Amino acid sequence: MTARTAGFTTIVLGAGAAGLMAAATAGQAGARVLVLDHAPHAGRKILISGGGRCNFTNMDTGAGQFLSANPHFAKSALARYTPADFLALVQRHRIPWHEKAAGQLFCDRSARDIVDMLRRECAAGQVDVRVSHRIIDVTRDGAGQYRVETDHGIFHAPNLIVATGGLSIPKLGATGLAHDIARRFGLRIVAPAPALVPLTFGAQDREWMEPLAGLSVTVGITCHEGEGRLARQATFRDGMVFTHRGLSGPAILQASSYWQPGQALDIDLLPGIDAGRRLQEIKRDRPRAGGVAMLSMLLPQRLAQLMAQAHLPDGQLAGMPDAVLANVGRILSGWRLNPHGTEGYVKAEVTRGGVDTDCLSSRDMQARDVPGLFMVGEAVDVTGWLGGYNFQWAWASGHAAGQAA
Ligand code: FDA
């Protein structure tokens, strides 16, 4: 790679998914680009993503699969750089891939293929990628040049793309730098919180949950976001797993992105089934069975036992009043649990919240009131569902900024 050495037009902070995409796009469009990252390698989060195979996009991506205070913000960038565009890039680099669940695309071999591809794309744009650079200070001078001071020297450029991500997984180098820079330049921050993260419970709940640890069940959870005109809801039907600390599994991770401290979680243990009617049918067909036997026809044994102990009298179904079964039916369809918290940034796949989208142009991710300052990727208040959406946002927002910077 022959890197241009001086007179950068664009500095990108962060050599992750969004930063490498932004840098390659800008470099290939003729910008002289420098990427700075404090980690020893580029794309570390990409390498561990998708269980090492990187769920690099979701073919069904639309703004509806993202949480944001402004649910319309992501539309423009997502429409101008689509999953098909990224897939075309993957295919151009002859990376073998497969569709795991509907729309979710993974590498056949390893996530390293994606990092290598992005590095090659950066090289094609003569991007200078420098790792192990600690960022000490970021300022803007009177002439509108950004000045980035690092432990390896000071760099200047008229454009600064901030792609340092969110706060999730600090041991991989996550920091709040993007939020700090945003605040410094007068951009607002939507309160960040861990998302796509297991939920924890208080001691009382953990006591009865403990014997269920490891048990997995398919559930339905309906989540709500926003208020008034911007109110939206989403229902996830997927696996839930009991852990020693509480609940995990894809349905819970999805719900965690919507969950607010103090909120209850209503879990449908029999999604798609009219639970009350089903219990009446079992009573009719097997009147001499007991409560545990009835619930074991619908739920894993250990959970059936727990539910029967808590909500059903002993004895045969024939002797159980219909009202008791109707009540259990309601509990199975909307099992109300009260999470205590989350497992935090140490375990969270992403950070929700971040740079307020009202402060950015949805077209190119540039700060409305700070020319030349761009915010992309997870640093921004756009958070995708589980399933490849977060990388698609990183590619799309990085591409939008790279075209403009
Ligand atoms: P990203 O975090 O990728 O990059 C930020 C970069 O900035 C890093 O290189 C970091 O070192 C650097 N940086 C941070 N602070 C700095 C500082 N102070 N100074 C200098 N550099 C700094 N998504 C998906 O769509 N499909 C998937 O399969 C998965 N799987 C997955 C697994 C796990 C375990 C995690 C934790 C996350 C995922 N994700 C995912 C989410 C996905 O990884 C995430 O949304 C993107 O990596 C975000 O891309 P960014 O470029 O915005 O940040």
Side-chain angles (χ1 to χ4, degrees):
M1 183 176 102
T2 52
R4 298 170 180 127
T5 50
F8 296 110
T9 54
T10 305
I11 297 175
V12 178
L13 301 183
L20 292 175
M21 174 56 90
T25 306
Q28 290 178 25
R32 292 188 303 278
V33 185
L34 170 69
V35 180
L36 298 171
D37 199 299
H38 68 166
H41 309 287
R44 286 170 97 195
K45 233 180 233 178
I46 301 174
L47 290 176
I48 61 154
S49 68
R53 295 246 164 103
C54 186
N55 177 192
F56 55 80
T57 192
N58 191 307
M59 297 307 285
D60 300 322
T61 301
Q65 288 105 5
F66 293 86
L67 291 87
S68 173
N70 177 359
H72 303 296
F73 180 81
K75 284 181 184 167
S76 173
L78 290 173
R80 283 179 298 112
Y81 192 83
T82 65
D85 291 325
F86 192 76
L87 182 58
L89 184 65
V90 166
Q91 286 176 319
R92 208 159 60 239
H93 284 260
R94 300 184 188 287
I95 296 173
W97 58 275
H98 61 278
E99 185 170 0
K100 200 167 167 188
Q104 298 178 12
L105 307 192
F106 285 75
C107 296
D108 283 355
R109 291 187 304 230
S110 151
R112 179 161 293 287
D113 281 346
I114 298 294
V115 176
D116 291 346
M117 175 188 84
L118 293 168
R119 294 299 300 255
R120 284 198 296 275
E121 287 292 309
C122 281
Q126 291 188 267
V127 173
D128 186 347
V129 180
R130 302 192 195 181
V131 293
S132 299
H133 276 52
R134 192 165 63 83
I135 314 290
I136 295 168
D137 198 15
V138 177
T139 51
R140 186 164 177 252
D141 65 23
Q145 289 270 324
Y146 291 92
R147 175 187 180 277
V148 179
E149 184 182 344
T150 75
D151 58 353
H152 286 65
I154 295 171
F155 303 93
H156 296 89
N159 292 311
L160 180 70
I161 301 181
V162 181
T164 51
L167 298 161
S168 313
I169 322 282
K171 75 167 191 278
L172 282 185
T175 69
L177 182 66
H179 302 168
D180 295 343
I181 294 174
R183 279 192 205 96
R184 161 170 295 204
F185 287 98
L187 278 55
R188 290 183 299 278
I189 300 292
V190 174
L196 297 181
V197 61
L199 295 174
T200 57
F201 286 79
Q204 245 182 343
D205 284 321
R206 282 205 313 273
E207 205 177 302
W208 63 259
M209 281 181 172
E210 185 70 35
L212 301 177
L215 190 144
S216 168
V217 57
T218 298
V219 299
I221 307 180
T222 298
C223 305
H224 302 271
E225 189 202 9
E227 288 169 2
R229 216 168 35 84
L230 297 180
R232 296 188 299 170
Q233 73 170 41
T235 298
F236 301 101
R237 188 196 281 204
D238 216 323
M240 174 178 91
V241 181
F242 289 87
T243 70
H244 290 285
R245 280 193 275 214
L247 294 173
S248 189
I252 294 296
L253 298 187
Q254 301 278 31
S256 75
S257 297
Y258 293 80
W259 181 77
Q260 302 285 346
Q263 251 180 14
L265 206 60
D266 289 328
I267 299 169
D268 185 352
L269 289 168
L270 298 175
I273 295 176
D274 181 337
R277 179 188 291 189
R278 189 77 190 94
L279 297 182
Q280 293 296 347
E281 285 168 1
I282 298 173
K283 176 181 171 181
R284 192 189 59 218
D285 297 344
R286 300 188 51 193
R288 292 159 80 175
V292 176
M294 171 178 69
L295 294 183
S296 298
M297 294 172 71
L298 303 169
L299 298 171
Q301 176 74 17
R302 275 184 285 164
L303 186 54
Q305 256 162 1
L306 183 111
M307 283 289 177
Q309 268 164 17
H311 304 292
L312 285 172
D314 289 336
Q316 297 183 342
L317 295 180
M320 285 186 203
D322 288 350
V324 170
L325 294 190
N327 183 47
V328 174
R330 278 192 293 277
I331 292 169
L332 295 180
S333 307
W335 194 29
R336 178 155 286 202
L337 297 178
N338 289 291
H340 190 255
T342 75
E343 291 203 16
Y345 291 117
V346 180
K347 288 281 172 67
E349 277 200 17
V350 292
T351 301
R352 77 173 182 226
V355 179
D356 189 335
T357 57
D358 280 352
C359 303
L360 304 174
S361 151
S362 62
R363 197 169 166 77
D364 61 8
M365 312 301 297
Q366 190 167 185
R368 288 185 191 283
D369 299 327
V370 193
L373 177 65
F374 299 78
M375 295 276 167
V376 296
E378 201 178 311
V380 178
D381 174 33
V382 173
T383 307
W385 291 354
L386 201 68
Y389 302 105
N390 283 298
F391 276 135
Q392 188 56 37
W393 170 245
W395 316 134
S397 59
H399 191 263
Q403 278 187 318

